[in-house]
Structure formats: C-alpha cells, structure tokens
Amino acid sequence: MANVTRWDPLEDSFDDLVKGFFLRPMRFEQQDPVRVKVDVKEDPTSYVVLAEIPGVKKEDIQVSIDGNQVAISAEVKRQQKEEKQGEKNLRSERYYGRVYRSFALAQDVDQEKAQAKYENGVLELRLPKKAAASTRTLTIQ
C-alpha cells in the first residue's frame, strides 16, 4: 500500500535552487514522523507481517484481527528531560502520540493460532490462514 504525499512544484524547485547557497533550507514535515511501515509475505499456509515501530515498548503495542482485517496501533512516548538553567528548546522533532495502521489480507486469519513477537523495533506477526470452508451444494426439493 502506498502513502500519498502532496507535491508542491514551486517549493521543491525553490529548495533545489537555493540548495548549496548560504544556508541549506530547512523543511518542516507536516506528517507524523513516526509511521508503521509494513512488509507482508505469504506462503501457502500463512502470512508473515513485519512492522517497523521504533522506540515503542511491546506493552504499548496492540494488534487486533477480525477475519482478514489486521490493525496495529501503538502509543509512542518520549521522555522529557529537565531543562537546564538558561537553556531553551529551539526545535523538537520527536513524536509523542498514537500511531495506527490497518490493512486487509486476501484470506481470513486463524486468530487462535496467530503469534506476535517484538524485537529491536520490529513487530513480527505470524498469521496462519483459516482453512477454507468447503462449498456445499443444496438439493432443491
């Protein structure tokens, strides 16, 4: 799934024009700096989802599965440091808040056998496919 971003030709051209001159232009991002980036792999029996969620404790991550819908949300927290005498914060780019990502898979997931593991900022979900229900033909009387 691709993320949509807004492109401004005048702003981008201006940045290219002044790049390398007196000061490098500073861009302020309008989007949340923390995004859940996802890789989804499939084999005949299951899906494997790798989601990057850096700087989050595993206790702050929630995963919900409903049929073929998978939702991942996390609470991103940052530690506030005490300000020293005479020091002021000029710019802070660290994010605090909730991030969320959801997507649909081609086949329903067996929720009872699903597994999750979080290590080094990467959430790994092993989602076995639910056995396809057999089709039954009814005899009309």
Side-chain angles (χ1 to χ4, degrees):
M1 297 183 192
N3 291 329
V4 178
T5 58
R6 185 172 286 168
W7 179 65
D8 184 357
L10 294 176
E11 182 180 332
D12 292 341
S13 298
F14 180 74
D15 285 349
D16 290 341
L17 181 68
V18 297
K19 198 175 281 186
F21 282 90
F22 306 103
L23 293 173
R24 186 174 182 153
M26 182 179 287
R27 296 179 94 168
F28 293 94
E29 297 292 326
Q30 297 294 327
Q31 303 168 350
D32 293 339
V34 177
R35 289 189 207 154
V36 180
K37 297 177 183 175
V38 178
D39 292 338
V40 181
K41 300 174 186 176
E42 178 183 17
D43 63 37
T45 61
S46 65
Y47 297 100
V48 176
V49 177
L50 299 174
E52 285 185 0
I53 316 173
V56 176
K57 295 178 184 175
K58 69 179 181 179
E59 297 84 24
D60 295 331
I61 300 173
Q62 294 82 37
V63 178
S64 63
I65 302 169
D66 185 14
N68 70 337
Q69 298 286 326
V70 179
I72 302 169
S73 63
E75 185 76 25
V76 180
K77 298 176 183 177
R78 66 174 178 182
Q79 300 295 327
Q80 294 287 347
K81 292 186 178 181
E82 294 179 21
E83 290 188 18
K84 295 179 184 175
Q85 185 88 20
E87 194 177 78
K88 64 180 178 178
N89 190 7
L90 297 178
R91 180 177 164 107
S92 179
E93 294 181 346
R94 295 181 300 157
Y95 179 77
Y96 176 83
R98 191 155 201 79
V99 293
Y100 179 82
R101 180 76 185 261
S102 69
F103 50 91
L105 299 169
Q107 193 172 339
D108 285 354
V109 173
D110 187 351
Q111 299 174 14
E112 300 300 319
K113 296 180 183 174
Q115 298 175 344
K117 181 174 77 171
Y118 184 68
E119 189 176 345
N120 297 328
V122 177
L123 174 67
E124 180 180 340
L125 302 175
R126 295 207 171 268
L127 308 173
K129 295 178 182 178
K130 192 174 262 188
S134 59
T135 308
R136 180 178 160 205
T137 304
L138 295 176
T139 306
I140 302 172
Q141 298 180 11

